[in-house]
mmCIF file with all atom_site columns, all heavy atoms in Angstrom:
data_model
loop_
_atom_site.group_PDB
_atom_site.id
_atom_site.type_symbol
_atom_site.label_atom_id
_atom_site.label_alt_id
_atom_site.label_comp_id
_atom_site.label_asym_id
_atom_site.label_entity_id
_atom_site.label_seq_id
_atom_site.pdbx_PDB_ins_code
_atom_site.Cartn_x
_atom_site.Cartn_y
_atom_site.Cartn_z
_atom_site.occupancy
_atom_site.B_iso_or_equiv
_atom_site.pdbx_formal_charge
_atom_site.auth_seq_id
_atom_site.auth_comp_id
_atom_site.auth_asym_id
_atom_site.auth_atom_id
_atom_site.pdbx_PDB_model_num
ATOM 1   N N   . ASP A 1 30 ? -14.314 -19.726 -54.181 1.00 83.00 ? 30 ASP A N   1
ATOM 2   C CA  . ASP A 1 30 ? -13.250 -19.922 -55.158 1.00 83.00 ? 30 ASP A CA  1
ATOM 3   C C   . ASP A 1 30 ? -12.751 -21.357 -55.260 1.00 83.00 ? 30 ASP A C   1
ATOM 4   O O   . ASP A 1 30 ? -12.048 -21.688 -56.200 1.00 83.00 ? 30 ASP A O   1
ATOM 5   C CB  . ASP A 1 30 ? -12.066 -19.010 -54.839 1.00 83.00 ? 30 ASP A CB  1
ATOM 6   C CG  . ASP A 1 30 ? -12.400 -17.542 -55.061 1.00 83.00 ? 30 ASP A CG  1
ATOM 7   O OD1 . ASP A 1 30 ? -13.416 -17.278 -55.721 1.00 83.00 ? 30 ASP A OD1 1
ATOM 8   O OD2 . ASP A 1 30 ? -11.657 -16.685 -54.575 1.00 83.00 ? 30 ASP A OD2 1
ATOM 9   N N   . SER A 1 31 ? -13.078 -22.198 -54.336 1.00 87.00 ? 31 SER A N   1
ATOM 10  C CA  . SER A 1 31 ? -12.463 -23.517 -54.307 1.00 87.00 ? 31 SER A CA  1
ATOM 11  C C   . SER A 1 31 ? -13.341 -24.629 -54.838 1.00 87.00 ? 31 SER A C   1
ATOM 12  O O   . SER A 1 31 ? -12.959 -25.799 -54.785 1.00 87.00 ? 31 SER A O   1
ATOM 13  C CB  . SER A 1 31 ? -12.054 -23.858 -52.872 1.00 87.00 ? 31 SER A CB  1
ATOM 14  O OG  . SER A 1 31 ? -13.214 -23.914 -52.053 1.00 87.00 ? 31 SER A OG  1
ATOM 15  N N   . ILE A 1 32 ? -14.501 -24.287 -55.364 1.00 92.00 ? 32 ILE A N   1
ATOM 16  C CA  . ILE A 1 32 ? -15.452 -25.318 -55.737 1.00 92.00 ? 32 ILE A CA  1
ATOM 17  C C   . ILE A 1 32 ? -15.917 -25.174 -57.176 1.00 92.00 ? 32 ILE A C   1
ATOM 18  O O   . ILE A 1 32 ? -15.811 -24.119 -57.779 1.00 92.00 ? 32 ILE A O   1
ATOM 19  C CB  . ILE A 1 32 ? -16.693 -25.278 -54.822 1.00 92.00 ? 32 ILE A CB  1
ATOM 20  C CG1 . ILE A 1 32 ? -17.337 -23.891 -54.880 1.00 92.00 ? 32 ILE A CG1 1
ATOM 21  C CG2 . ILE A 1 32 ? -16.343 -25.656 -53.408 1.00 92.00 ? 32 ILE A CG2 1
ATOM 22  C CD1 . ILE A 1 32 ? -18.665 -23.829 -54.195 1.00 92.00 ? 32 ILE A CD1 1
ATOM 23  N N   . ALA A 1 33 ? -16.413 -26.287 -57.709 1.00 95.00 ? 33 ALA A N   1
ATOM 24  C CA  . ALA A 1 33 ? -17.025 -26.266 -59.029 1.00 95.00 ? 33 ALA A CA  1
ATOM 25  C C   . ALA A 1 33 ? -18.492 -25.839 -58.905 1.00 95.00 ? 33 ALA A C   1
ATOM 26  O O   . ALA A 1 33 ? -19.113 -26.036 -57.863 1.00 95.00 ? 33 ALA A O   1
ATOM 27  C CB  . ALA A 1 33 ? -16.930 -27.643 -59.669 1.00 95.00 ? 33 ALA A CB  1
ATOM 28  N N   . LEU A 1 34 ? -18.996 -25.283 -59.952 1.00 96.00 ? 34 LEU A N   1
ATOM 29  C CA  . LEU A 1 34 ? -20.380 -24.811 -59.972 1.00 96.00 ? 34 LEU A CA  1
ATOM 30  C C   . LEU A 1 34 ? -21.061 -25.286 -61.247 1.00 96.00 ? 34 LEU A C   1
ATOM 31  O O   . LEU A 1 34 ? -20.422 -25.387 -62.295 1.00 96.00 ? 34 LEU A O   1
ATOM 32  C CB  . LEU A 1 34 ? -20.423 -23.289 -59.915 1.00 96.00 ? 34 LEU A CB  1
ATOM 33  C CG  . LEU A 1 34 ? -19.907 -22.670 -58.628 1.00 96.00 ? 34 LEU A CG  1
ATOM 34  C CD1 . LEU A 1 34 ? -19.491 -21.237 -58.859 1.00 96.00 ? 34 LEU A CD1 1
ATOM 35  C CD2 . LEU A 1 34 ? -20.955 -22.759 -57.541 1.00 96.00 ? 34 LEU A CD2 1
ATOM 36  N N   . ALA A 1 35 ? -22.324 -25.551 -61.147 1.00 97.00 ? 35 ALA A N   1
ATOM 37  C CA  . ALA A 1 35 ? -23.049 -26.032 -62.310 1.00 97.00 ? 35 ALA A CA  1
ATOM 38  C C   . ALA A 1 35 ? -24.474 -25.512 -62.312 1.00 97.00 ? 35 ALA A C   1
ATOM 39  O O   . ALA A 1 35 ? -25.025 -25.160 -61.265 1.00 97.00 ? 35 ALA A O   1
ATOM 40  C CB  . ALA A 1 35 ? -23.052 -27.553 -62.349 1.00 97.00 ? 35 ALA A CB  1
ATOM 41  N N   . TRP A 1 36 ? -25.033 -25.494 -63.485 1.00 98.00 ? 36 TRP A N   1
ATOM 42  C CA  . TRP A 1 36 ? -26.444 -25.208 -63.666 1.00 98.00 ? 36 TRP A CA  1
ATOM 43  C C   . TRP A 1 36 ? -27.143 -26.498 -64.105 1.00 98.00 ? 36 TRP A C   1
ATOM 44  O O   . TRP A 1 36 ? -26.650 -27.212 -64.975 1.00 98.00 ? 36 TRP A O   1
ATOM 45  C CB  . TRP A 1 36 ? -26.663 -24.141 -64.740 1.00 98.00 ? 36 TRP A CB  1
ATOM 46  C CG  . TRP A 1 36 ? -26.313 -22.752 -64.324 1.00 98.00 ? 36 TRP A CG  1
ATOM 47  C CD1 . TRP A 1 36 ? -25.132 -22.115 -64.518 1.00 98.00 ? 36 TRP A CD1 1
ATOM 48  C CD2 . TRP A 1 36 ? -27.163 -21.831 -63.643 1.00 98.00 ? 36 TRP A CD2 1
ATOM 49  N NE1 . TRP A 1 36 ? -25.188 -20.849 -64.003 1.00 98.00 ? 36 TRP A NE1 1
ATOM 50  C CE2 . TRP A 1 36 ? -26.431 -20.646 -63.450 1.00 98.00 ? 36 TRP A CE2 1
ATOM 51  C CE3 . TRP A 1 36 ? -28.475 -21.875 -63.174 1.00 98.00 ? 36 TRP A CE3 1
ATOM 52  C CZ2 . TRP A 1 36 ? -26.961 -19.516 -62.816 1.00 98.00 ? 36 TRP A CZ2 1
ATOM 53  C CZ3 . TRP A 1 36 ? -29.017 -20.769 -62.548 1.00 98.00 ? 36 TRP A CZ3 1
ATOM 54  C CH2 . TRP A 1 36 ? -28.255 -19.599 -62.376 1.00 98.00 ? 36 TRP A CH2 1
ATOM 55  N N   . TYR A 1 37 ? -28.279 -26.732 -63.502 1.00 98.00 ? 37 TYR A N   1
ATOM 56  C CA  . TYR A 1 37 ? -29.132 -27.844 -63.880 1.00 98.00 ? 37 TYR A CA  1
ATOM 57  C C   . TYR A 1 37 ? -30.511 -27.293 -64.189 1.00 98.00 ? 37 TYR A C   1
ATOM 58  O O   . TYR A 1 37 ? -30.836 -26.178 -63.803 1.00 98.00 ? 37 TYR A O   1
ATOM 59  C CB  . TYR A 1 37 ? -29.224 -28.865 -62.741 1.00 98.00 ? 37 TYR A CB  1
ATOM 60  C CG  . TYR A 1 37 ? -27.889 -29.444 -62.343 1.00 98.00 ? 37 TYR A CG  1
ATOM 61  C CD1 . TYR A 1 37 ? -27.104 -28.816 -61.371 1.00 98.00 ? 37 TYR A CD1 1
ATOM 62  C CD2 . TYR A 1 37 ? -27.407 -30.616 -62.924 1.00 98.00 ? 37 TYR A CD2 1
ATOM 63  C CE1 . TYR A 1 37 ? -25.873 -29.337 -61.014 1.00 98.00 ? 37 TYR A CE1 1
ATOM 64  C CE2 . TYR A 1 37 ? -26.176 -31.144 -62.567 1.00 98.00 ? 37 TYR A CE2 1
ATOM 65  C CZ  . TYR A 1 37 ? -25.421 -30.486 -61.608 1.00 98.00 ? 37 TYR A CZ  1
ATOM 66  O OH  . TYR A 1 37 ? -24.200 -31.010 -61.248 1.00 98.00 ? 37 TYR A OH  1
ATOM 67  N N   . ARG A 1 38 ? -31.326 -28.096 -64.849 1.00 98.00 ? 38 ARG A N   1
ATOM 68  C CA  . ARG A 1 38 ? -32.698 -27.674 -65.085 1.00 98.00 ? 38 ARG A CA  1
ATOM 69  C C   . ARG A 1 38 ? -33.621 -28.884 -64.999 1.00 98.00 ? 38 ARG A C   1
ATOM 70  O O   . ARG A 1 38 ? -33.206 -30.019 -65.222 1.00 98.00 ? 38 ARG A O   1
ATOM 71  C CB  . ARG A 1 38 ? -32.855 -26.998 -66.440 1.00 98.00 ? 38 ARG A CB  1
ATOM 72  C CG  . ARG A 1 38 ? -32.653 -27.897 -67.644 1.00 98.00 ? 38 ARG A CG  1
ATOM 73  C CD  . ARG A 1 38 ? -32.680 -27.072 -68.934 1.00 98.00 ? 38 ARG A CD  1
ATOM 74  N NE  . ARG A 1 38 ? -32.563 -27.914 -70.122 1.00 98.00 ? 38 ARG A NE  1
ATOM 75  C CZ  . ARG A 1 38 ? -32.433 -27.429 -71.356 1.00 98.00 ? 38 ARG A CZ  1
ATOM 76  N NH1 . ARG A 1 38 ? -32.390 -26.111 -71.559 1.00 98.00 ? 38 ARG A NH1 1
ATOM 77  N NH2 . ARG A 1 38 ? -32.327 -28.245 -72.382 1.00 98.00 ? 38 ARG A NH2 1
ATOM 78  N N   . GLN A 1 39 ? -34.843 -28.595 -64.655 1.00 97.00 ? 39 GLN A N   1
ATOM 79  C CA  . GLN A 1 39 ? -35.841 -29.651 -64.597 1.00 97.00 ? 39 GLN A CA  1
ATOM 80  C C   . GLN A 1 39 ? -37.171 -29.119 -65.088 1.00 97.00 ? 39 GLN A C   1
ATOM 81  O O   . GLN A 1 39 ? -37.693 -28.139 -64.542 1.00 97.00 ? 39 GLN A O   1
ATOM 82  C CB  . GLN A 1 39 ? -35.989 -30.207 -63.173 1.00 97.00 ? 39 GLN A CB  1
ATOM 83  C CG  . GLN A 1 39 ? -36.872 -31.443 -63.127 1.00 97.00 ? 39 GLN A CG  1
ATOM 84  C CD  . GLN A 1 39 ? -36.583 -32.317 -61.943 1.00 97.00 ? 39 GLN A CD  1
ATOM 85  O OE1 . GLN A 1 39 ? -36.043 -31.877 -60.924 1.00 97.00 ? 39 GLN A OE1 1
ATOM 86  N NE2 . GLN A 1 39 ? -36.931 -33.592 -62.040 1.00 97.00 ? 39 GLN A NE2 1
ATOM 87  N N   . ALA A 1 40 ? -37.678 -29.753 -66.108 1.00 96.00 ? 40 ALA A N   1
ATOM 88  C CA  . ALA A 1 40 ? -38.984 -29.408 -66.647 1.00 96.00 ? 40 ALA A CA  1
ATOM 89  C C   . ALA A 1 40 ? -40.031 -30.327 -66.027 1.00 96.00 ? 40 ALA A C   1
ATOM 90  O O   . ALA A 1 40 ? -39.706 -31.444 -65.599 1.00 96.00 ? 40 ALA A O   1
ATOM 91  C CB  . ALA A 1 40 ? -38.973 -29.552 -68.162 1.00 96.00 ? 40 ALA A CB  1
ATOM 92  N N   . PRO A 1 41 ? -41.277 -29.898 -65.990 1.00 91.00 ? 41 PRO A N   1
ATOM 93  C CA  . PRO A 1 41 ? -42.334 -30.731 -65.406 1.00 91.00 ? 41 PRO A CA  1
ATOM 94  C C   . PRO A 1 41 ? -42.400 -32.093 -66.072 1.00 91.00 ? 41 PRO A C   1
ATOM 95  O O   . PRO A 1 41 ? -42.424 -32.207 -67.299 1.00 91.00 ? 41 PRO A O   1
ATOM 96  C CB  . PRO A 1 41 ? -43.609 -29.923 -65.694 1.00 91.00 ? 41 PRO A CB  1
ATOM 97  C CG  . PRO A 1 41 ? -43.143 -28.516 -65.786 1.00 91.00 ? 41 PRO A CG  1
ATOM 98  C CD  . PRO A 1 41 ? -41.788 -28.592 -66.436 1.00 91.00 ? 41 PRO A CD  1
ATOM 99  N N   . GLY A 1 42 ? -42.385 -33.120 -65.258 1.00 93.00 ? 42 GLY A N   1
ATOM 100 C CA  . GLY A 1 42 ? -42.501 -34.472 -65.782 1.00 93.00 ? 42 GLY A CA  1
ATOM 101 C C   . GLY A 1 42 ? -41.243 -35.028 -66.420 1.00 93.00 ? 42 GLY A C   1
ATOM 102 O O   . GLY A 1 42 ? -41.260 -36.124 -66.986 1.00 93.00 ? 42 GLY A O   1
ATOM 103 N N   . LYS A 1 43 ? -40.138 -34.293 -66.325 1.00 95.00 ? 43 LYS A N   1
ATOM 104 C CA  . LYS A 1 43 ? -38.903 -34.747 -66.950 1.00 95.00 ? 43 LYS A CA  1
ATOM 105 C C   . LYS A 1 43 ? -37.795 -34.914 -65.921 1.00 95.00 ? 43 LYS A C   1
ATOM 106 O O   . LYS A 1 43 ? -37.855 -34.352 -64.824 1.00 95.00 ? 43 LYS A O   1
ATOM 107 C CB  . LYS A 1 43 ? -38.457 -33.758 -68.030 1.00 95.00 ? 43 LYS A CB  1
ATOM 108 C CG  . LYS A 1 43 ? -39.384 -33.701 -69.232 1.00 95.00 ? 43 LYS A CG  1
ATOM 109 C CD  . LYS A 1 43 ? -38.777 -32.864 -70.331 1.00 95.00 ? 43 LYS A CD  1
ATOM 110 C CE  . LYS A 1 43 ? -39.649 -32.873 -71.576 1.00 95.00 ? 43 LYS A CE  1
ATOM 111 N NZ  . LYS A 1 43 ? -39.041 -32.075 -72.684 1.00 95.00 ? 43 LYS A NZ  1
ATOM 112 N N   . GLU A 1 44 ? -36.791 -35.697 -66.320 1.00 94.00 ? 44 GLU A N   1
ATOM 113 C CA  . GLU A 1 44 ? -35.636 -35.878 -65.455 1.00 94.00 ? 44 GLU A CA  1
ATOM 114 C C   . GLU A 1 44 ? -34.815 -34.593 -65.387 1.00 94.00 ? 44 GLU A C   1
ATOM 115 O O   . GLU A 1 44 ? -34.820 -33.780 -66.304 1.00 94.00 ? 44 GLU A O   1
ATOM 116 C CB  . GLU A 1 44 ? -34.748 -36.996 -66.022 1.00 94.00 ? 44 GLU A CB  1
ATOM 117 C CG  . GLU A 1 44 ? -35.388 -38.367 -66.033 1.00 94.00 ? 44 GLU A CG  1
ATOM 118 C CD  . GLU A 1 44 ? -35.358 -38.994 -64.660 1.00 94.00 ? 44 GLU A CD  1
ATOM 119 O OE1 . GLU A 1 44 ? -34.307 -38.889 -63.993 1.00 94.00 ? 44 GLU A OE1 1
ATOM 120 O OE2 . GLU A 1 44 ? -36.384 -39.582 -64.262 1.00 94.00 ? 44 GLU A OE2 1
ATOM 121 N N   . ARG A 1 45 ? -34.080 -34.463 -64.293 1.00 95.00 ? 45 ARG A N   1
ATOM 122 C CA  . ARG A 1 45 ? -33.150 -33.346 -64.195 1.00 95.00 ? 45 ARG A CA  1
ATOM 123 C C   . ARG A 1 45 ? -32.097 -33.467 -65.279 1.00 95.00 ? 45 ARG A C   1
ATOM 124 O O   . ARG A 1 45 ? -31.652 -34.560 -65.603 1.00 95.00 ? 45 ARG A O   1
ATOM 125 C CB  . ARG A 1 45 ? -32.489 -33.367 -62.820 1.00 95.00 ? 45 ARG A CB  1
ATOM 126 C CG  . ARG A 1 45 ? -31.607 -32.155 -62.566 1.00 95.00 ? 45 ARG A CG  1
ATOM 127 C CD  . ARG A 1 45 ? -30.602 -32.439 -61.492 1.00 95.00 ? 45 ARG A CD  1
ATOM 128 N NE  . ARG A 1 45 ? -29.532 -33.304 -61.968 1.00 95.00 ? 45 ARG A NE  1
ATOM 129 C CZ  . ARG A 1 45 ? -28.529 -33.714 -61.223 1.00 95.00 ? 45 ARG A CZ  1
ATOM 130 N NH1 . ARG A 1 45 ? -28.484 -33.391 -59.946 1.00 95.00 ? 45 ARG A NH1 1
ATOM 131 N NH2 . ARG A 1 45 ? -27.600 -34.496 -61.728 1.00 95.00 ? 45 ARG A NH2 1
ATOM 132 N N   . GLU A 1 46 ? -31.698 -32.336 -65.821 1.00 96.00 ? 46 GLU A N   1
ATOM 133 C CA  . GLU A 1 46 ? -30.707 -32.319 -66.892 1.00 96.00 ? 46 GLU A CA  1
ATOM 134 C C   . GLU A 1 46 ? -29.561 -31.384 -66.522 1.00 96.00 ? 46 GLU A C   1
ATOM 135 O O   . GLU A 1 46 ? -29.791 -30.266 -66.045 1.00 96.00 ? 46 GLU A O   1
ATOM 136 C CB  . GLU A 1 46 ? -31.348 -31.826 -68.199 1.00 96.00 ? 46 GLU A CB  1
ATOM 137 C CG  . GLU A 1 46 ? -30.419 -31.743 -69.381 1.00 96.00 ? 46 GLU A CG  1
ATOM 138 C CD  . GLU A 1 46 ? -31.088 -31.174 -70.619 1.00 96.00 ? 46 GLU A CD  1
ATOM 139 O OE1 . GLU A 1 46 ? -32.267 -30.751 -70.529 1.00 96.00 ? 46 GLU A OE1 1
ATOM 140 O OE2 . GLU A 1 46 ? -30.440 -31.139 -71.684 1.00 96.00 ? 46 GLU A OE2 1
ATOM 141 N N   . GLY A 1 47 ? -28.348 -31.855 -66.728 1.00 96.00 ? 47 GLY A N   1
ATOM 142 C CA  . GLY A 1 47 ? -27.188 -31.011 -66.536 1.00 96.00 ? 47 GLY A CA  1
ATOM 143 C C   . GLY A 1 47 ? -27.059 -30.035 -67.688 1.00 96.00 ? 47 GLY A C   1
ATOM 144 O O   . GLY A 1 47 ? -27.024 -30.461 -68.838 1.00 96.00 ? 47 GLY A O   1
ATOM 145 N N   . VAL A 1 48 ? -26.992 -28.752 -67.389 1.00 98.00 ? 48 VAL A N   1
ATOM 146 C CA  . VAL A 1 48 ? -26.939 -27.726 -68.416 1.00 98.00 ? 48 VAL A CA  1
ATOM 147 C C   . VAL A 1 48 ? -25.498 -27.288 -68.684 1.00 98.00 ? 48 VAL A C   1
ATOM 148 O O   . VAL A 1 48 ? -25.034 -27.301 -69.825 1.00 98.00 ? 48 VAL A O   1
ATOM 149 C CB  . VAL A 1 48 ? -27.791 -26.503 -68.011 1.00 98.00 ? 48 VAL A CB  1
ATOM 150 C CG1 . VAL A 1 48 ? -27.674 -25.397 -69.049 1.00 98.00 ? 48 VAL A CG1 1
ATOM 151 C CG2 . VAL A 1 48 ? -29.237 -26.915 -67.806 1.00 98.00 ? 48 VAL A CG2 1
ATOM 152 N N   . ALA A 1 49 ? -24.786 -26.898 -67.635 1.00 98.00 ? 49 ALA A N   1
ATOM 153 C CA  . ALA A 1 49 ? -23.414 -26.411 -67.807 1.00 98.00 ? 49 ALA A CA  1
ATOM 154 C C   . ALA A 1 49 ? -22.679 -26.469 -66.486 1.00 98.00 ? 49 ALA A C   1
ATOM 155 O O   . ALA A 1 49 ? -23.287 -26.410 -65.418 1.00 98.00 ? 49 ALA A O   1
ATOM 156 C CB  . ALA A 1 49 ? -23.422 -24.978 -68.348 1.00 98.00 ? 49 ALA A CB  1
#
Side-chain angles (χ1 to χ4, degrees):
D30 292 345
S31 63
I32 57 171
L34 295 158
W36 286 94
Y37 300 89
R38 67 186 183 187
Q39 188 156 23
K43 293 188 176 181
E44 295 282 317
R45 186 202 74 181
E46 179 183 5
V48 177

